[in-house]
Amino acid sequence: MADSKYFTTTKKGEIAELKADLASDKKDKKKDAVKKVIANMTIGKDVSNLFPDVINCMQTDNSELKKLVYLYLTNYAKAQPDMAIMAVNTFVKDCEDPNPLIRALAVRTMGCIRVDKITEYMCDPLRKCLRDDDPYVRKTAAVCVAKLHDINANLVEDQGFLDSLRELTSDENPMVVANTVAALTEIAETHPTTAGQLKLTPPVVNKLLTAVNESSEWGQVFILDALAQYEPKDSREARSTADRVTARLSHANSAVVLSAVRLLLRMLSYLQGEEEYIKTLLEKLAPPLVTLLSSEAELQYVALRNINLIVQKYGDILKNDIKVFFVKYNDPIYVKLEKLDIMIRLTNEGNIAQVLPELKEYAAEVDVDFVRKAVRAIGRCAIKVSTQAERCVQTLVELISTKVNYVVQEAIVVIKDIFRKYPNKYENIISVLCENLDSLDEPEARASMI
């Protein structure tokens, strides 16, 4: 049966009717009433005055009803902290339920109820769940520790939960390991001075690398990002770590690929005297980075921002793939600008013949900001590749001849920089610049002309 009926317009007196239904002895009637309450809560109606009535529905064997009550409790506990204490006994009881899903649900809800008054009551159930036989309960409890730490850091540290978390990094289940790493990372980010940071030793790193292969995609991201903080003791260990992570480069999830790239680049800085291996590894990094550019615009932008940082340190990594950064007509402006910046970084004597006509074409685009940056890019190419400077200057002169005001002014600004780089070399174009003197209305262009 569809649940859409619960979202129909509320009628006058419905709250009193729901109150009566919540107290009903009939299980189905009670469950329907809770569903209506959740529906009202979802559409923004205040149903907090039903708090004690909904809490009374917690004592049930029906897992669906229990989930709905816990959802309501998570939403309204902060507004009714005194009433929320009524639920503590049920949490403690549910944490010992034979069903692992109910145990995990109880510990998850405890973590979501951000009420300081009941945190001390959560310690014993949470401690039991961290040692639970079921991995689903343990992984949920690990995340709960991070949430509890955010509410009361001193309590978590005093109760020894951080030590329990560090022990879980050696858990046999990769899901538990991934959630434990995520929890410790979050604690370290929110409280940098805490003693709960993940301690990466060779045995721990080995266990994390083993867990990566069997984790979910987001679990892999958490583990790879944590491993990127590790400092291997020698070149041999760095190479071993890199070899075990390389397979992640072919993952379908772009976040996993970028995390793997980040870790591999980190390991590169520890590889001493292994130029051949470094060259091979960099060659392996290029195809996955290029593949990321075939995704939707938002993911492309994230990939481009990362690629921009990578090519600043390893300029040769994508020198043969400059064409993939050529702008497409339907690219959003933020993607176009990022591609343009990377193109300039990758431009060299071998590919400038491809880049210049492309930049000249961009100068005819309709977006003024993008056109200005394209013209400026031509000037940067002239300064970067001295052997092709004359060709760049000729392209700029051709753009000036279009008489498009903002193109002319931007071209004059960049020609000023070219004159500084190559004094007494291109004075023959000054007459062309003077012809456009009257059209200059921007201070920067006028100053450049002088």
Side-chain angles (χ1 to χ4, degrees), residues 360 363 375 378 395-404 407-408:
K360 187 180 176 184
V375 174
I378 297 171
T395 305
L396 288 169
V397 170
E398 288 171 16
L399 291 173
I400 290 170
S401 66
T402 61
K403 303 291 183 185
V404 178
V407 174
V408 171

Side-chain angles (χ1 to χ4, degrees), residues 282-293:
L282 287 172
E283 286 172 359
K284 286 180 182 176
L285 289 175
L289 289 173
V290 169
T291 305
L292 291 174
L293 299 181

Side-chain angles (χ1 to χ4, degrees), residues 383-435:
I383 292 165
K384 187 177 181 184
V385 187
S386 55
T387 55
Q388 296 292 321
E390 192 161 345
R391 192 171 178 175
C392 296
V393 170
Q394 191 55 44
T395 305
L396 288 169
V397 170
E398 288 171 16
L399 291 173
I400 290 170
S401 66
T402 61
K403 303 291 183 185
V404 178
N405 187 268
Y406 53 85
V407 174
V408 171
Q409 301 201 76
E410 200 62 46
I412 287 172
V413 171
V414 298
I415 286 172
K416 168 203 69 177
D417 295 331
I418 294 171
F419 279 176
R420 283 177 177 166
K421 173 79 174 175
Y422 309 106
N424 308 319
K425 199 168 181 184
Y426 300 110
E427 277 88 347
N428 58 323
I429 66 164
I430 291 177
S431 58
V432 178
L433 303 182
C434 291
E435 289 171 15

Side-chain angles (χ1 to χ4, degrees), residues 247-263:
R248 302 297 108 208
L249 293 173
S250 56
H251 201 281
N253 188 312
S254 53
V256 175
V257 174
L258 285 173
S259 292
V261 169
R262 181 185 174 204
L263 175 54

Side-chain angles (χ1 to χ4, degrees), residues 65-169:
L65 179 56
K66 200 176 280 285
K67 282 179 186 177
L68 292 168
V69 174
Y70 277 1
L71 182 62
Y72 176 90
L73 185 60
T74 304
N75 198 53
Y76 283 117
K78 203 166 185 179
Q80 308 246 15
D82 295 327
M83 299 292 289
I85 294 175
M86 291 167 55
V88 169
N89 288 335
T90 308
F91 283 137
V92 175
K93 184 182 169 187
D94 283 352
C95 282
E96 295 179 2
D97 194 278
N99 185 344
L101 292 175
I102 297 295
R103 298 201 298 274
L105 180 65
V107 78
R108 181 190 290 120
T109 309
M110 282 195 299
C112 292
I113 296 175
R114 302 181 63 80
V115 177
D116 204 29
K117 283 185 177 181
I118 68 169
T119 49
E120 59 192 69
Y121 299 106
M122 292 162 59
C123 295
D124 288 336
L126 183 56
R127 191 175 286 106
K128 286 177 185 174
C129 289
L130 284 167
R131 299 195 199 99
D132 200 280
D133 293 335
D134 194 280
Y136 183 74
V137 180
R138 293 200 301 277
K139 86 178 183 78
T140 309
V143 175
C144 185
V145 172
K147 290 180 177 178
L148 184 58
H149 189 275
D150 195 38
I151 301 167
N152 192 335
N154 292 333
L155 178 70
V156 170
E157 289 169 32
D158 294 344
Q159 292 287 333
F161 286 131
L162 296 178
D163 294 326
S164 300
L165 271 188
R166 279 193 285 271
E167 286 171 19
L168 283 180
T169 55

Side-chain angles (χ1 to χ4, degrees), residues 327 329 331-334 336-337 340 361-375 404 406-407:
V327 170
Y329 75 95
D331 280 340
I333 185 63
Y334 54 88
K336 287 181 176 180
L337 294 174
L340 191 59
E361 198 175 314
Y362 300 161
E365 288 261 355
V366 291
D367 189 292
V368 176
D369 189 38
F370 181 59
V371 170
R372 286 179 181 277
K373 288 211 165 43
V375 174
V404 178
Y406 53 85
V407 174

